[in-house]
Structure formats: C-alpha cells, structure tokens
Amino acid sequence: MKPLLLAIVLSSIGAFCAEPAFAQKCSSIFSSQYALDGKVEVDLPAVRSAKTATEYGNTITEINSLIAPLEIPGQVKVSVGTAFKFSHFNAGDFSIYIGVRPDSMGKMNPKVNQTTMAHEYAHAIFEHNLIKDLESYKSLRNKAVNLEAQVEAAARESKNLVYRSDVTFDKKKKQQLQWQAIEKMLESKSLKKEFKAFQRYWIIRTAFHELFADSVALTYTRDPKSIATLLKSKEEKNKEFSSNGIILRDFTDGRHHRNEQTWKKEHPFYTEFAADVYYSFLPARWELWNIVKSKIDSENYRKELPYKVFSILERNLSESLALSPETVGPTGLKDIQRMNDQIIEDFRREL
C-alpha cells in the first residue's frame, strides 16, 4: 500500500493524523470564551487576534438558516485556538478544530477564520445528513469505525517503536519509519486486504465531502475567491500549499479556460496516483460558480442552494459507492472525469 494513500485515508477517518496535517491542540493552558450553550469554545489568545466566541457562534447560526430542510448537526462541538495546527472536522465525534495563527490568519485577515468555520461546519452537515439518508454510506462509515480502532492501536505501537529509534530528531525520517511500521502491523493483523478494499470508496466519499464544504463556504461568503484566500493566508507561514493549488481552488471563471486545460492534463496524476480529494472535483466547482454567480445575492436563492447541492451530491455519491472496484480504481478516482460530467449536468439542470 502506498504511504501517500495510507496517510490520506487514515487522516480522513481520524485514526492517525500525520504531524503537520491536521489540528492538534498542545495543551489546555488558556482561558476560553463560550457560545451556543458551550458548543463553541475559543481560547482567549484567539479572541484577541481574531474573532470572539459569539462571532463564531453567529457564523454557525447563519449557516443553519441557509440549509433547510437539511438537519442541523446538533452534536457538533467547536474549538478555536492558537494552539491548533490547521483546521479539521472529526467525523467520528463531530468535533471541529479551527486553527488561528495570529500573525498570518488572525490579524492580517480575520475573515479567513469565518471561512474556515463555514467550511469545517459544512463537513458536519454533510456527514450528519448522509448518515441519516444513505444506507450505503452508513455501511461504509461502520467499516471506517471498525478499521479506525484497529489501525489506531497499530499507530500507537508504531509511535513507541519510532520514538525508541535513533532518528527521533529527524522529522522526515521519523514519519517515514512510522508509516512503514503501520504498514507492517496492518499486514501482520491481516488488515491490508480489507483496508485496500475500503480505501477507494472512502477517498471517493472524502472528495464529495470537500466539494460540499466548499459550496457551503461559497454560499456563506458569497465570495468565489474565499477558499483561495484561505489557502493564501496559510501559505504565508506554510509552503506545503502550491500556488497552482491556490489558483485551482478559485471558483471564478477569470482563469476558467486555463484551469480546465490544466486539470485535464494533470488530473490523472493528482487523482489516480495521488488521490487528491481537493483536486478531484475542480471542474464541478468552476461550473457551480458559473451557474450561481448571477443569483448568489438573492437571499431566497442562498437558502435553496445548500440543500439542492446536497441532494445532487448525495445521489451521485450513492451511485459512485455502487461502482465496481475495477471502475473506480485503487484510489477510487479513476472514473473522476465521468463523475464531474454527471455532477455538472445535474448542477445545470437543478440549480
């Protein structure tokens, strides 16, 4: 199993998060502000650099007003803090972590934090309503929960092995050994075959998740550049985001022709090899903006859009989960051109 695929799938089911990838809280050393009856917690350094707990709560309340008749995910708990690295939605317990780095995301562009909140909260909306509506997804999720428990045990053991090695201070080497140890343990526990069968469909699910989350951020901000702005802000302090990736997350059509040609050229690498769940549905993102840009300022239209997008994506995800392993390929994204074409057709007809 390729380490990259392993990292993507394990991270998305919350079993094991590679160190730079997802939200991790160092410690609970700061006092906090609370909102929405304690469902939103913001540590005080984050309040000073960005937004208050009430403002984050207001973002959730506004999004809730836009999603009917979808159910509101009442089990969500939000933590916002300077002690987090990046931001993350945990599909297991519906916790959301919003990272605030004062000198890049807070002081320089405070609106970015609300874009992050909208995007991550949209993941909770999508997950909750998929569980409610889609039997095939519930089955996939149950497999994820089962695998998570087994892989988490392997991850803990691998960490112990790595920290006892002589390369503790070599970050890249330590991470490489960690993945190798996990893979070895997966094989020893006879999980590899089961994991490979599962991973392709979980990657498909995650790509759909990201498309819906971006669409809700678009609906909330009415700004087609909001996700690109978010990534630019992160890039100020973290060079893992390529400028090309930022350009291609821009919903606007100013570079649409260039983007379309770039995607057609590059997607076999990014989807079939690298399993990039953000890159997968870029054509659908661009078409979504082309459709909604003349309507997005209408409050009535904004209140219809999330549910309509959800309905289209739920239907297409259900069909994708029924495809054969040969059709979807090892990463689940072999058929991504057809998936985009179908979603675009549905967007044009139903939005």
Side-chain angles (χ1 to χ4, degrees), residues 117-225:
M117 180 74 257
H119 177 93
E120 299 301 340
Y121 184 59
H123 280 303
I125 295 167
F126 197 60
E127 186 75 8
H128 175 83
N129 285 277
L130 284 180
I131 293 170
K132 178 177 71 73
D133 292 349
L134 200 56
E135 286 297 329
S136 59
Y137 181 68
K138 281 193 280 189
S139 175
L140 184 71
R141 180 183 163 90
N142 289 338
K143 289 179 183 177
V145 171
N146 179 53
L147 284 168
E148 178 182 11
Q150 298 177 71
V151 174
E152 200 168 38
R156 284 196 300 269
E157 190 172 345
S158 75
K159 281 185 178 181
N160 293 335
L161 290 173
V162 171
Y163 291 140
R164 289 199 300 268
S165 74
D166 296 328
V167 294
T168 302
F169 299 105
D170 185 334
K171 190 174 181 179
K172 289 185 177 179
K173 184 67 173 177
K174 182 172 67 175
Q175 193 176 74
Q176 181 183 12
L177 288 176
Q178 204 165 30
W179 292 125
Q180 290 174 352
I182 292 174
E183 282 199 280
K184 184 176 180 180
M185 289 177 186
L186 285 173
E187 289 191 32
S188 68
K189 295 175 182 292
S190 302
L191 283 175
K192 188 171 183 179
K193 184 176 180 181
E194 182 182 357
F195 197 90
K196 287 182 71 174
F198 160 82
Q199 74 175 9
R200 65 192 76 207
Y201 295 103
W202 194 256
I203 289 171
I204 293 173
R205 163 266 185 202
T206 306
F208 274 88
H209 244 282
E210 294 301 336
L211 176 54
F212 181 77
D214 279 1
S215 75
V216 171
L218 173 66
T219 306
Y220 168 72
T221 63
R222 310 186 207 197
D223 177 6
K225 295 180 179 290

Side-chain angles (χ1 to χ4, degrees), residues 19 42 115 235 239 251 280 284:
E19 189 165 290
V42 182
T115 304
E235 193 183 36
K239 299 302 181 184
F251 276 73
S280 303

Side-chain angles (χ1 to χ4, degrees), residues 241-279:
F241 295 93
S242 71
S243 59
N244 192 51
I246 291 171
I247 290 170
L248 293 171
R249 290 291 291 280
D250 187 337
F251 276 73
T252 58
D253 59 0
R255 300 188 187 94
H256 188 275
H257 179 71
R258 174 189 167 189
N259 283 348
E260 187 174 30
Q261 299 309 311
T262 300
W263 188 85
K264 285 182 178 179
K265 179 181 177 181
E266 295 181 351
H267 86 76
F269 170 80
Y270 282 103
T271 58
E272 293 179 42
F273 173 75
D276 190 324
V277 295
Y278 301 96
Y279 203 89

Side-chain angles (χ1 to χ4, degrees), residues 57-74:
N58 289 343
T59 297
I60 291 175
T61 299
E62 180 175 346
I63 292 172
N64 286 344
S65 74
L66 299 173
I67 66 171
L70 293 173
E71 282 192 3
I72 293 169

Side-chain angles (χ1 to χ4, degrees), residues 39 63 246 280 289 294 318:
K39 290 185 177 182
I63 292 172
I246 291 171
S280 303
W289 174 244
S294 63
S318 178

Side-chain angles (χ1 to χ4, degrees), residues 29-91:
I29 60 175
F30 302 119
S31 298
S32 297
Q33 266 189 10
Y34 295 90
L36 296 183
D37 298 323
K39 290 185 177 182
V40 177
E41 176 186 4
V42 182
D43 71 36
L44 290 186
V47 171
R48 289 193 290 269
S49 66
K51 298 285 186 178
T52 65
T54 298
E55 287 172 301
Y56 281 97
N58 289 343
T59 297
I60 291 175
T61 299
E62 180 175 346
I63 292 172
N64 286 344
S65 74
L66 299 173
I67 66 171
L70 293 173
E71 282 192 3
I72 293 169
Q75 65 273 55
V76 165
K77 295 282 187 180
V78 178
S79 298
V80 182
T82 56
F84 291 112
K85 299 177 181 179
F86 301 103
S87 301
H88 178 49
F89 164 67
N90 186 310

